[in-house]
Amino acid sequence: MSQHKTRQKNDRQKHSPTNPALKTAASGKSKSGRNNNSSLKAPSARVPKKTYALNWLVYAIGFILLWIFTSIVYGDVFWRTEQSSYVSDNAVQMKFVTDLGLGWLYYSGRWVLTLFKYPSIGGLLLSAILTATAWMLNYILRLPMKWWPCGFVLPILICAYYPLRSFNLYFRSEPSWVFLLPIIVLTAEVVVATIMSILRFRSLSASAKKRTFFTAAVCFILAAAASVTAYSLLPSNAARGIMLFVIVLALAIIIIVGSSRPKEGISMGTALISGVSMIAVGICCYILTNDVANNEIKTARMTRMLENRDWDGMIEEALSAKQPTRSIAGYYAIALEETGQILTRLFELPFEYPDIEFDADSKNEEYGLFTADCNFAAGITNPAYHYAFEQTVMGGQTLHHLKLMALCAIMNHEKELAEKYMTIISKNPFEDDFIAQYSPMINNPKLIDQDERLARIKKLQTTVMNRAFEQNFQKPTFIGYSIGHLPTSAEEYLNTIASLLYSKDLQRFISIAAGFEQNNIPMPECVKQAIAVYIVSKPDGQNVAQQFPDIANNYRGIAINFLTQAQPIIKRQQEESRAKGFKKDANGKYLVDDETKVKNNKEMRDALKGTWLGTYYYYYFCENNNPNQVQKPKGDGVN
């Protein structure tokens, strides 16, 4: 009987739902985990293979796009920013920076900024810092891997800061913010991430803790080795301090993020979608940047081309601008002067200057960007030196102005002054090429004649400026000087004609226009057109027609044709002025208010630009005449 009860009990346990053997059989798996009942397996969709390495594809694409922006798209602006800075290990020379409230921070940032002497190298470091900000933002927000591209919103916002600052990024502003802004943001992120890591450390598994300690030990060793290298190789304590800070910052990021390595990867499809999306956003940002900062980019690029003497490149850049600024027009004129095309291509550029918003303390100071360079190109080296020195006093030392003052001293044979500036420039890193090119000319002035550009400027140098004050001429000086004295050479004569035509001073222009025939100089088309404009628009035009009969016969009809096409707009302008009750001038024409003039001038430009741009007719009647454009220099000057 007892054996029978025992057998029944065993049967009940064997068929019990809690029996482990029955659970295994029901799941279709053996103890080894293999499937013993394939017929019980439910059909399911194929799960995409996930790869951990694909996680970093997002950062790789982001880094490449940021490098393209910082070194190619905006690299020329960062180069101009570096040239608008100065740094050395001489404490006395840097007091104009270190005495400021955040002087030592600016001083450190200027050392890093020197890398943008070569935009591709500076762009690498800046892109690495911006990519690190995206990395740290993803860590702080604990975003899922498929949302990692969202971390690049912060680098995009930082990059947007540069175009929005426009010329104020470097003009009479602290240029080191190019690097300081992303470094400060990244430092703040590291502080937040460090606090979060400390709070999470206790919850880590034993293996994660070991990995963190191991990573920290390795980073400590690397930091020690990098510190010794930086101390022995870098030229100053400031540079060593910057390098140590960057090393510690980078290793802190490695430790923080390394302590929470993701356990899963992302699928190839997700990686491709992320990559394509980031590239699309990058293209949109490029289009937007090129639209918003077109003039800033071209001005900086033309300044760099000026240093490299790429005259054809400067001309192409200017003519491709959507609405050129005065800076672009000034550098365009330099390139034309260097290539002997000042009167043949000057008016191909549309002179419809836009307004530029400068900071409050430098409003309407666009002339400060280019006047010194234009003065030097025009051969008036004393005004070029004075203007560069004036800008240095107001905005601090910059490489751009120090180099120009050194060249002016060389051209004026001021040996001690030139050596002084060369010594100052040599303290700034990466300027060995400039020193090697121009220093020999200090003790051997004959080398100036072997330099094509300086030899041309030497021919333009005269003694007139040494006998007159700059205040006697209209501003900007490179135009006012040309129209303020009688030319003494063929080169000066062409510059004077160009300046008179640009300033629309046809009365003085007519008085010396006969010099072309007297000196057997071929008369350019724009000069003939200007004479025709005078004939059809001035009371004594008939007398000029008798003086230039061939031009009157061949060009007067073209000028009349232009005015015929513009007449409907001019007539409408007069009708609007009459309706507003304005008075008439001495010639019986109604005075026109600024609002009406601006509206009709724009309408006239839009209607006639396609056919007449590049002619003096179009320039004289349609361009450089809006009262609401950037103001003229203080006092009497040429717009």
Side-chain angles (χ1 to χ4, degrees):
M1 178 67 88
S2 62
Q3 291 178 354
H4 179 70
K5 291 182 177 180
T6 301
R7 194 180 307 114
Q8 289 180 339
K9 181 178 180 181
N10 290 338
D11 290 340
R12 285 194 301 268
Q13 291 177 351
K14 185 177 181 180
H15 293 88
S16 172
T18 60
N19 191 329
L22 286 176
K23 288 184 176 182
T24 303
S27 63
K29 293 183 179 180
S30 64
K31 291 182 179 181
S32 63
R34 294 177 180 174
N35 195 339
N36 293 328
N37 190 5
S38 58
S39 61
L40 297 177
K41 182 178 179 181
S44 60
R46 184 179 178 183
V47 178
K49 183 179 180 180
K50 296 183 177 181
T51 307
Y52 174 72
L54 291 176
N55 295 343
W56 306 110
L57 180 63
V58 170
Y59 294 112
I61 293 175
F63 173 81
I64 293 172
L65 292 174
L66 289 170
W67 181 80
I68 291 174
F69 173 81
T70 55
S71 62
I72 299 176
V73 177
Y74 226 63
D76 292 313
V77 178
F78 291 142
W79 177 89
R80 176 70 190 256
T81 304
E82 187 270 338
Q83 291 293 296
S84 297
S85 174
Y86 177 79
V87 68
S88 77
D89 55 2
N90 188 309
V92 176
Q93 290 179 348
M94 297 308 299
K95 281 185 68 66
F96 75 99
V97 174
T98 55
D99 285 351
L100 299 175
L102 298 175
W104 286 102
L105 185 65
Y106 297 151
Y107 180 49
S108 302
R110 287 184 176 222
W111 278 104
V112 186
L113 184 62
T114 57
L115 292 176
F116 268 112
K117 171 68 176 180
Y118 309 102
S120 58
I121 297 176
L124 281 175
L125 179 58
L126 185 55
S127 301
I129 295 172
L130 292 171
T131 303
T133 62
W135 190 7
M136 293 307 301
L137 183 63
N138 284 335
Y139 173 82
I140 293 172
L141 299 179
R142 311 296 289 178
L143 292 177
M145 294 165 208
K146 64 181 179 180
W147 294 110
W148 276 6
C150 296
F152 282 90
V153 170
L154 185 55
I156 289 174
L157 292 176
I158 295 174
C159 289
Y161 163 83
Y162 304 128
L164 291 176
R165 283 290 291 160
S166 184
F167 293 103
N168 298 302
L169 185 65
Y170 57 83
F171 181 66
R172 295 191 188 172
S173 300
E174 177 50 48
S176 60
W177 281 109
V178 168
F179 270 106
L180 288 180
L181 177 62
I183 289 176
I184 291 173
V185 171
L186 182 57
T187 304
E189 287 182 315
V190 169
V191 171
V192 173
T194 302
I195 296 173
M196 293 175 62
S197 297
I198 294 173
L199 296 176
R200 291 172 181 163
F201 186 77
R202 293 183 179 180
S203 63
L204 294 178
S205 63
S207 60
K209 290 181 179 179
K210 290 180 181 179
R211 184 170 64 247
T212 302
F213 281 122
F214 176 76
T215 305
V218 172
C219 289
F220 178 79
I221 296 173
L222 292 175
S227 301
V228 173
T229 304
Y231 185 84
S232 60
L233 296 180
L234 296 177
S236 66
N237 291 328
R240 295 165 188 158
I242 296 167
M243 181 59 67
L244 293 178
F245 176 78
V246 172
I247 292 170
V248 172
L249 193 64
L251 296 181
I253 295 172
I254 295 174
I255 295 173
I256 293 168
V257 181
S259 66
S260 59
R261 174 175 172 170
K263 298 179 180 179
E264 295 183 0
I266 56 176
S267 66
M268 178 61 76
T270 303
L272 289 176
I273 292 174
S274 299
V276 172
S277 300
M278 293 177 69
I279 293 173
V281 171
I283 293 173
C284 293
C285 291
Y286 166 76
I287 295 173
L288 186 61
T289 300
N290 197 50
D291 181 65
V292 173
N294 184 265
N295 286 325
E296 290 84 344
I297 294 172
K298 289 188 177 298
T299 299
R301 188 170 297 155
M302 292 177 74
T303 309
R304 192 178 182 189
M305 289 176 174
L306 173 63
E307 184 162 296
N308 297 328
R309 304 188 181 185
D310 183 4
W311 313 124
D312 292 336
M314 292 175 67
I315 293 172
E316 291 177 6
E317 283 294 324
L319 294 178
S320 65
K322 297 177 181 178
Q323 188 180 6
T325 59
R326 283 177 175 77
S327 304
I328 292 176
Y331 287 117
Y332 175 68
I334 291 176
L336 294 181
E337 175 71 20
E338 294 288 349
T339 56
Q341 304 180 81
I342 190 66
L343 281 176
T344 57
R345 302 190 65 182
L346 178 60
F347 299 106
E348 290 181 14
L349 190 74
F351 294 96
E352 306 167 21
Y353 300 130
D355 290 325
I356 298 178
E357 294 183 5
F358 287 95
D359 289 339
D361 61 342
S362 56
K363 190 173 179 59
N364 297 325
E365 286 293 342
E366 185 187 358
Y367 296 92
L369 293 170
F370 63 93
T371 297
D373 291 322
C374 290
N375 285 346
F376 185 75
I380 47 177
T381 52
N382 285 346
Y385 179 87
H386 295 161
Y387 199 91
F389 189 83
E390 180 182 291
Q391 294 296 313
T392 300
V393 171
M394 292 188 292
Q397 291 183 136
T398 70
L399 280 172
H400 183 76
H401 289 129
L402 288 171
K403 289 179 179 179
L404 187 62
M405 288 189 287
L407 291 178
C408 290
I410 291 173
M411 296 298 294
N412 291 337
H413 306 295
E414 298 175 280
K415 179 179 176 181
E416 292 78 9
L417 184 61
E419 289 178 343
K420 174 184 176 182
Y421 282 118
M422 287 296 181
T423 301
I424 295 174
I425 293 170
S426 66
K427 299 294 184 180
N428 195 97
F430 310 126
E431 293 299 335
D432 295 339
D433 291 343
F434 181 86
I435 301 297
Q437 182 177 2
Y438 295 107
S439 285
M441 298 179 185
I442 297 176
N443 295 313
N444 188 4
K446 292 182 179 180
L447 294 176
I448 295 176
D449 298 326
Q450 300 176 17
D451 186 286
E452 184 178 356
R453 186 188 184 212
L454 296 186
R456 185 196 62 78
I457 292 175
K458 183 179 178 180
K459 290 181 180 179
L460 290 173
Q461 281 186 299
T462 65
T463 59
V464 175
M465 287 305 301
N466 296 328
R467 300 197 304 266
F469 292 104
E470 296 170 35
Q471 292 82 354
N472 294 342
F473 301 102
Q474 293 181 346
K475 303 295 182 181
T477 311
F478 61 90
I479 293 180
Y481 170 74
S482 295
I483 64 180
H485 79 285
L486 293 176
T488 58
S489 65
E491 290 83 2
E492 277 195 343
Y493 179 73
L494 296 179
N495 287 345
T496 298
I497 292 294
S499 298
L500 289 170
L501 293 183
Y502 176 81
S503 61
K504 302 183 180 181
D505 191 348
L506 296 187
Q507 202 70 42
R508 288 196 215 177
F509 159 73
I510 288 296
S511 67
I512 64 172
F516 283 97
E517 294 181 0
Q518 296 171 1
N519 296 294
N520 295 320
I521 301 175
M523 186 176 288
E525 283 294 305
C526 67
V527 175
K528 298 176 182 178
Q529 294 166 1
I531 294 174
V533 168
Y534 191 97
I535 291 173
V536 300
S537 63
K538 302 298 181 180
D540 59 338
Q542 191 57 39
N543 295 334
V544 174
Q546 294 175 1
Q547 184 181 355
F548 300 96
D550 292 339
I551 295 176
N553 293 333
N554 297 325
Y555 287 85
R556 177 163 47 186
I558 302 175
I560 294 174
N561 182 27
F562 175 88
L563 291 174
T564 301
Q565 294 184 30
Q567 191 61 38
I569 302 174
I570 298 174
K571 184 178 179 181
R572 188 184 315 121
Q573 178 175 282
Q574 287 291 306
E575 291 175 352
E576 291 180 6
S577 299
R578 182 181 61 182
K580 292 181 178 180
F582 288 105
K583 297 179 179 180
K584 294 182 180 181
D585 60 13
N587 297 322
K589 296 182 179 180
Y590 286 94
L591 299 175
V592 182
D593 63 306
D594 289 349
E595 182 181 355
T596 303
K597 185 180 294 185
V598 169
K599 184 184 70 173
N600 286 279
N601 284 347
K602 184 179 185 308
E603 185 177 349
M604 188 182 300
R605 286 196 300 269
D606 294 341
L608 303 176
K609 186 174 184 178
T611 304
W612 296 94
L613 177 62
T615 67
Y616 193 73
Y617 315 117
Y618 180 81
Y619 173 76
Y620 184 82
F621 291 106
C622 299
E623 293 185 319
N624 202 13
N625 55 5
N626 279 355
N628 68 336
Q629 290 177 336
V630 181
Q631 294 181 6
K632 296 182 180 181
K634 295 177 181 179
D636 184 24
V638 180
N639 187 25

